[in-house]
Amino acid sequence: MAATTFLHGANVRANGIRQHYLRYGGKGPVVVIVPGITSPAATWGFVAERFGQHFDTYVLDVRGRGLSEASDALDYGLDACAADVAAFAEALALPDYQLVGHSMGARIGIRLARLNPQGLRKLVLVDPPVSGPGRRRYPSQLPWYVDSIRLARRGITIERMREFCPTWTPEQLRLRAEWLHTCDERAIVTTFDGFHQDDIHADLPQVKVPTLLMVAGRGGVIQPEDREELSRLLPALQVADVPNAGHMIPWDDEEGFYQAFGGFLGHALTRPDAA
C-alpha cells in the first residue's frame, strides 16, 4: 500500500468566517477541490489521496458543512460560497490554482470564475446541476437530503444509510454516516433552492479560464441538449464523459473519474498500471 499523501487539516479565517480544509501532497501545482451539497471534505479524502500524488491539494469544507463555520444567521447563498473560495486562496497566499468542483462545487466554481479572481487558472465542472429559473428541475429531491441529515444527527447505522445510497460500499456508507450530521439543514435547503433560482448559464460566457465539463453517463443531471447549450455559451469548453457512473462519479467509477481528466490539469491522474 502506498504511503498516504495526507498532510494535515486546518482552519483559516477568510471572508469573515472560519473555513476548514484538508491538505494533501504539498508539492506541485495547486488544486482546490470544492465538494457537493452534502459532502464534507473528509468524504473526498480518497480522491484527494490520488490528487496528492501529483498536486498540492486542498479540499474545502463549504460553509455549513464539515468543520467550517455554520450558524442560524450565516449567508449560505451561491455568491457567499464563491467569495469564500476567493478569500480562502488569498488568505493562504496560494499561487496559481486550479479548481475542481463537484455538483454544488461546480456551480460555486462557475460563479467564482465569473468574478475573475486573481490566481484561478483552470476550472473543472464535475456533473454540475444545470437547473435554474424556468429550467428542468434538478433530479434529486430535497427530502432525500433532509431526511438523511435528520437521521444522521440522531446517529445512523450504515445499514440505514444504505437505504439512501444503495450502491455504495460499506466503507463509503460508513464515512457518510460519520460526517453527514455536520451538514447544516438550512445550508442544504438554501443550496437546493439555489439550484433552481441561481442562473449559472448567465455566468458561463464570462468564464475566461480553460474549463473542462465532466458528465456522468448515468447521472441524469446533464442531458445531450444541456451539453450543447453549455458548449454554445462557452465555446472553448472541453467535455469528458464517464459513461458508467452516476452523479457521484468517483464513488461509482473511481478510475473512470481520474481518466476523464486526461492531461487537463497538467498531469495525468491514472495509475501507471491503469493505462
Side-chain angles (χ1 to χ4, degrees):
M1 179 180 294
T4 180
T5 65
F6 176 70
L7 296 177
H8 59 260
N11 296 282
V12 63
R13 189 157 189 84
N15 197 29
I17 67 166
R18 182 190 72 253
Q19 296 192 45
H20 176 261
Y21 64 94
L22 304 176
R23 188 180 183 189
Y24 293 75
K27 298 179 181 179
V30 175
V31 171
V32 176
I33 297 176
V34 184
I37 184 171
T38 53
S39 295
T43 64
W44 275 75
F46 71 105
V47 172
E49 285 280 6
R50 177 71 65 89
F51 270 77
Q53 295 174 15
H54 309 290
F55 302 101
D56 187 7
T57 304
Y58 297 78
V59 191
L60 300 189
D61 270 330
V62 176
R63 57 170 60 199
R65 285 91 173 165
L67 301 181
S68 284
E69 190 163 330
S71 78
D72 292 339
L74 201 60
D75 179 1
Y76 290 125
L78 183 60
D79 287 336
C81 292
D84 283 349
V85 179
F88 171 83
E90 182 177 358
L92 268 62
L94 297 182
D96 298 349
Y97 64 97
Q98 306 175 94
L99 187 143
V100 175
H102 172 246
S103 193
M104 172 194 72
R107 290 172 67 95
I108 292 172
I110 292 170
R111 183 58 54 90
L112 172 70
R114 187 194 72 176
L115 303 175
N116 194 28
Q118 183 177 0
L120 179 63
R121 292 294 176 261
K122 290 183 179 178
L123 179 62
V124 180
L125 310 174
V126 181
D127 218 42
V130 290
S131 46
R135 295 180 174 274
R136 183 181 75 251
R137 291 187 63 81
Y138 182 57
S140 294
Q141 302 298 312
L142 182 59
W144 186 89
Y145 299 107
V146 172
D147 292 350
S148 60
I149 289 170
R150 290 177 179 177
L151 288 170
R153 284 206 304 264
R154 297 171 56 191
I156 187 172
T157 64
I158 64 170
E159 289 76 19
R160 191 69 190 277
M161 185 61 73
R162 186 175 286 112
E163 298 174 14
F164 295 89
C165 308
T167 64
W168 287 25
T169 67
E171 182 180 15
Q172 292 167 346
L173 292 168
R174 187 173 294 110
L175 197 59
R176 185 167 179 82
E178 178 185 1
W179 282 95
L180 187 60
H181 76 93
T182 68
C183 294
D184 182 273
E185 183 175 320
R186 190 172 66 86
I188 304 314
V189 172
T190 300
T191 295
F192 187 86
D193 289 344
F195 284 172
H196 306 96
Q197 296 166 359
D198 295 313
D199 187 2
I200 61 164
H201 293 77
D203 296 340
L204 281 169
Q206 302 179 61
V207 173
K208 306 304 181 185
V209 297
T211 303
L212 172 68
L213 172 68
M214 190 181 299
V215 179
R218 297 188 290 103
V221 174
I222 299 177
Q223 302 294 342
E225 60 270 23
D226 301 316
R227 298 166 59 127
E228 295 173 4
E229 181 180 13
L230 296 176
S231 294
R232 287 196 304 270
L233 292 169
L234 190 58
L237 182 70
Q238 300 180 43
V239 182
D241 292 289
V242 188
N244 295 320
H247 181 60
M248 303 296 285
I249 296 179
W251 280 257
D252 293 339
D253 184 1
E254 186 178 356
E255 289 304 322
F257 172 71
Y258 300 133
Q259 291 170 13
F261 285 90
F264 182 78
L265 297 176
H267 198 295
L269 285 158
T270 52
R271 296 195 313 262
D273 59 348

